[in-house]
Amino acid sequence: MDEQAAWSIAEPTRNKHSARSCDPNNAIGLGGAYVLQLQGIAVSPGVAIGETLVIDSEGFRIPRRFVVRDAVEDELERLDRAIELTGSQIDENRQAVARELGDQYAGIFSAHLQMLRDPHLREELEEMIRDRHYSPEYAVSRTMRRYVKVFEALENSYLSQRAHDIIDIEKRLLRHLLGHRREELSQLTSPVLVLAHDLTPSETANLDRRFVQGFVTELGGPGSHTAIVAEGLGIPAVVGTGPFLTDVSGGEVVIIDGDQGLVILRPDEETIARYRHEAEEHRSLAARLESLRDLPAETADGVPLQILGNIEFPYEVEQCAQRGADGIGLYRTEFLYLGAKIEPTEEIHYEAYAAVLREVRDGPVVIRTLDLGADKMNWEPDSREEKNPFLGVRSIRLSLRDLPLFRTQLRAILRASTLGNARVMFPMVSTVKELRQARMVLADMMEDLEDEGVNFNRDIPIGMMVEVPSAVLTLDDFLGEVDFVSIGTNDLVQYTLAVDRTNKDVVSLYSPAQPAVLRLIEMVLQTCEQRNVPVNLCGQMSGSTTYTMLLLGMGLRNFSVTPSAIPEIKKICRSVTMSQCREVAEHALSLESADEIKHYLRQELRAVCPELYV
Ligand code: PEP
Ligand code: MG
């Protein structure tokens, strides 16, 4: 989770854990003799092997597609049209620049035209379409990327810069070729591994689960919502690799190692066989852990615990139930808005909450009010762009500013509250005033429903997320006004260390093992215990096996985790005693750095549950 992105080339037989960093360009011309290995940030575990779907920064999708023999002439015509249109466009640019700035500045466009109209390029493309039956898009992408690599490898920096010109021409050609034929990620028809420059949380949320078997993004940090959704989908994912898309074409086979944060391009047979074996081990571990499903969540010495699931969509309730969750500890309702074509109405909210409550029946369902803004879309179409969206109008701040939005949601939650054990939770509360304002709006909605004669649970438990340091430091002031709290470490890490959870370049700081974060968590647990207020931890930390013993030792009894993590967390809980965990916590909290703490915790994990040590 805390690794830096780096490139490496590994010999096929080299153990994947010993990859060395070096320049990706060194791979050129190796003709597949070496496995190209890319280090990113592991955000969702598992191994996926398969054909890629490449989506570059402009969102082009370039699958390896074949054309039937009869269509070859038509496809060549389509290619020629695209070359012609691209040529006229470049020529227009050339003339405009020459007019405005003079011929010397228009020279670059003449060079582009020369490259585009180079008969060798045309011949090569025709050969790929005619003889190998590739689609023009795929032929263009593959050929131009090969040229890019050759140029990038040149020592002369002027010539190596020309790689950008080729990329530019490739994009122009693809724009003409794909044009209206650009397909949506949500309309896939065969299994793929998605490789993209970046995916927004809403794009990730809309990935077709039947076909997307893993993804890699050049950007993105460990705490991004894109990463969280990947875990929710239960597919291996690696983010923050840095640039690599020019080195891969759609349809190539790659391996995504979501445990180590590795992406293997052009794997050889031996590497594929090794990873197939690893994927098999994952499956057999998951099968063995299935037997825990109906056993209670408790420590080996019988201390009762609660392991709840985090969900973004109602369909995930089933995954939680299948894994033996005790309920839903965090329902991120903002995902109702991501990818929605129309603004969700009260009925849409109600149906979603009702579906979850009906399915969970007895267990608690913590419905968190909207946490829109920041890296998740801001629903308001006319909202101003913010310089620091994580410090701006996000979450409860947005709800309190947009009362119709907030009221709609609260009414729906209240109406659904009669269907099960519903709880409502406010996110990102940073002052007592905000909590009181949110409670007032809730009380207003209760009065409205009462006047209308609509049934709801007047005693619905009300909670808040503790994810901003100010809330930790003044927690005592809040506790008289809430029924429960939930610690959000994803944000607590970011706000404590001033480190953007979505930025791969500061990933080495983004860790819940940072001593400052651990001390804040300890403060929350102790204050809640003194005041007898139930506390849960629903950040990603809670679903990471590294931290289970530490959190138990620090006094946490309620975990809310991504559904796929439930069996492993339960397994650890049932394997350890409280005194063991207290000792681990005491030692970990005495250490000075996140690295030392993580290293120590992983050693302890290995001692108690070697099969869960990756
Ligand atoms: C958190 O911040 O830990 C949390 C659970 O909320 P989110 O990840 O949705 O911001
Ligand atoms: Mg949060």
Coordinates of all heavy atoms in Angstrom, one line a residue, residues 368 371 394 465 467 488 490-491 501, ligand 2:
R368 N -24.8 6.4 5.6 CA -24.1 7.7 5.8 C -24.6 8.7 4.8 O -24.9 8.3 3.6 CB -22.6 7.4 5.5 CG -21.8 8.7 5.7 CD -20.3 8.4 5.5 NE -20.0 8.3 4.1 CZ -18.7 8.2 3.6 NH1 -17.7 8.1 4.5 NH2 -18.5 8.1 2.3
D371 N -21.5 12.1 0.9 CA -20.2 12.7 1.0 C -19.7 13.1 -0.4 O -18.7 12.5 -0.9 CB -19.3 11.6 1.6 CG -17.8 12.1 1.9 OD1 -17.6 13.2 1.6 OD2 -17.0 11.3 2.4
R394 N -17.2 20.0 0.8 CA -17.3 18.5 0.6 C -18.2 18.0 1.7 O -18.3 18.6 2.8 CB -15.9 17.9 0.7 CG -15.9 16.4 0.7 CD -14.5 15.8 1.1 NE -14.8 14.4 1.3 CZ -14.0 13.6 1.9 NH1 -12.8 14.0 2.3 NH2 -14.3 12.3 2.1
M465 N -19.1 10.5 11.6 CA -17.8 10.0 11.3 C -16.7 10.8 12.0 O -16.9 12.1 12.1 CB -17.5 10.2 9.8 CG -18.3 9.4 8.8 SD -17.8 7.8 8.5 CE -16.1 7.9 8.0
E467 N -13.2 11.8 11.4 CA -12.2 11.6 10.3 C -11.4 12.9 10.1 O -10.6 13.0 9.1 CB -12.9 11.1 9.0 CG -14.1 11.9 8.6 CD -14.8 11.3 7.4 OE1 -14.2 10.4 6.7 OE2 -15.9 11.7 7.1
G488 N -13.0 7.2 10.5 CA -12.7 7.2 9.0 C -11.3 7.4 8.8 O -10.8 8.6 8.7
N490 N -9.4 6.7 6.3 CA -9.0 7.2 5.0 C -8.8 8.7 5.0 O -7.8 9.2 4.4 CB -10.0 6.8 3.9 CG -10.3 5.3 3.9 OD1 -9.5 4.5 4.4 ND2 -11.5 5.0 3.4
D491 N -9.7 9.4 5.6 CA -9.6 10.8 5.6 C -8.7 11.3 6.8 O -8.0 12.3 6.7 CB -10.9 11.5 5.7 CG -11.6 11.6 4.4 OD1 -10.9 12.1 3.5 OD2 -12.7 11.2 4.2
R501 N -5.0 11.9 -0.4 CA -5.2 10.5 -0.5 C -5.2 10.0 -1.9 O -5.1 8.8 -2.1 CB -6.4 10.0 0.3 CG -7.7 10.7 -0.2 CD -8.9 10.5 0.7 NE -9.6 9.3 0.5 CZ -10.8 9.0 1.1 NH1 -11.3 9.8 2.0 NH2 -11.4 7.9 0.8
Ligands
MG2 MG -14.1 9.8 4.7

